[in-house]
Amino acid sequence: MNTTRSGRPALTRPDGTALRVLVVDDDPDLSEVLTGALRYEGWQVRAAADGAAALAAARELRPDAVVLDVMLPDMDGFTVLRRLHETQPEVCVLFLTARDAVEDRIAGLTAGGDDYVTKPFSLEEVVARLRGLLRRAGMARRPEPEEDPGLVVGDLVMDEDAREVTRAGELIELSPTEFELLRFLMRNPRRVLSKAQILDRVWSYDFGGRAHVVELYISYLRKKIDAGREPMIHTVRGAGYVLKPVTG
Amino acid sequence: MNTTRSGRPALTRPDGTALRVLVVDDDPDLSEVLTGALRYEGWQVRAAADGAAALAAARELRPDAVVLDVMLPDMDGFTVLRRLHETQPEVCVLFLTARDAVEDRIAGLTAGGDDYVTKPFSLEEVVARLRGLLRRAGMARRPEPEEDPGLVVGDLVMDEDAREVTRAGELIELSPTEFELLRFLMRNPRRVLSKAQILDRVWSYDFGGRAHVVELYISYLRKKIDAGREPMIHTVRGAGYVLKPVTG
DNA sequence: GCCCCTTCTCAGAGGTGCCTCAGAGCTGGG
DNA sequence: CCCAGCTCTGAGGCACCTCTGAGAAGGGGC
């Protein structure tokens, strides 16, 4: 079975091979980070730095999805999208855009089921949105062909579409950051995650703050998830945190 | 089963295969948006930029419906329609036209069961009309052969043809925009919809306004639908809005 | 047992998102 | 021509969310 670098089972194409993703951004640092994060998901990733290179790479790679910066040195992201769709109408696109930029134009052109995130974003958000896109487009299937249960760890259940979390059937209200943090934990159960790792994945890449916020948000999550119950979030002193089912 | 990108079951042809739609418009941006939105419905879509290309594509695709701009660079939309009907009399046509244009001529020519929308339109409206056309023409069937319940979420019921909405049997009067917004919510129950998504789908593609109007209309809807009752419309701070039946 | 370092918790400042109200512009009907 | 309904803008205000700082609590090494 195709697996991620982290050992989790990967989201794959219907035929079981790795999903193919093309990353298009002219900032080499950002491109590097994105490429790494997506490879970590077990996907086959390729990068391009401008529109022309993107179209060329797309012809060769025939990607399932494209992560596409709106501002490219040679051409508009929308032009890239249109040209892409001419030859590969099935491809999904996730736009990257500055917050106060041409957000309305983006809005208009993503109506077809594509999506966008505004910079600065967290890697967890990009990955989540990309997974959502691919899942809805029917391009991806879960490794187990049976019913997709969503994210489940013990009696803790997360419905990403409804943005709902329940423990033992009881609804738990979470703030956006709490939700992202829990999603990251639930996608890596029984695995110790360092504060640095959490900071990298859940907080925006330009976040300058210190690891103290992670401790703080872990404590928030504990209050909401572990309050009066057998704890699922455990501290591993000097290493990080781990989420485990109660009888694990 | 054939499903939409959003995960909803798709409206299909009687034999269960995907409905085939041809989009004919010379504005590449608009064509792109329409194509995406219809694909999102789970349909097989193809685009053409002028009348000649449309006729050629129609011969090949043999579409169930055509979305047809009245003003094309090479020939009149009506001419396209006439030629289309020569070879494919069964095809449905949804005209796209400017508001103050030849509206009466359209009206005359759509008496045969075709329909039209005036620019600028919302995608929700185009999709709804196309679905209506196909359903009435007997070219589509609901995925479940049993009774078509229409749009129902909890005790909230929408009759799209009569443009009537009831909650707990009580009739609720809605303005056009309120109706469109509620329809979009009801077609995506238990799913958090961002303000940008809502803006894309419910407002016209050329609407430049801010997402603030969405908040405003949500508040209107709440007053009419949730007033004095268990609320069904919920705000998910930082994410969007979600419509849920009262008991879960 | 003592000390040091890590982690946890609390309280509060500042920012932001969202809701609501009031009103202007527009349109269509009487 | 006036009135009614609809749509959108702008401003005000509240509530929540996020992060900072400081002190308390706890674990491990010596």
Side-chain angles (χ1 to χ4, degrees), chain B residues 195 212 215 219 222 235 237-238 241:
Chain B
K195 277 180 269 194
H212 178 56
E215 299 168 18
S219 108
R222 283 211 247 244
T235 302
R237 199 168 218 272
Y241 299 95

Side-chain angles (χ1 to χ4, degrees), chain A residues 195 212 215-216 219 222-223 235 237-238 241:
Chain A
K195 277 179 267 195
H212 178 56
E215 299 169 16
L216 187 60
S219 108
R222 283 211 247 243
K223 273 202 206 120
T235 304
R237 212 182 156 77
Y241 300 95

Side-chain angles (χ1 to χ4, degrees), chain A residues 29-77:
Chain A
D29 285 350
L30 190 50
S31 185
E32 178 77 20
V33 173
L34 278 171
T35 303
L38 301 182
R39 284 213 177 99
Y40 191 78
E41 291 296 313
W43 299 338
Q44 184 184 341
V45 186
R46 194 152 153 191
D50 57 49
L55 291 170
R59 268 191 297 276
E60 199 185 312
L61 178 68
R62 304 205 68 79
D64 302 292
V66 179
V67 178
L68 181 58
D69 191 4
V70 172
M71 298 280 283
L72 291 171
D74 59 341
M75 69 178 91
D76 195 301

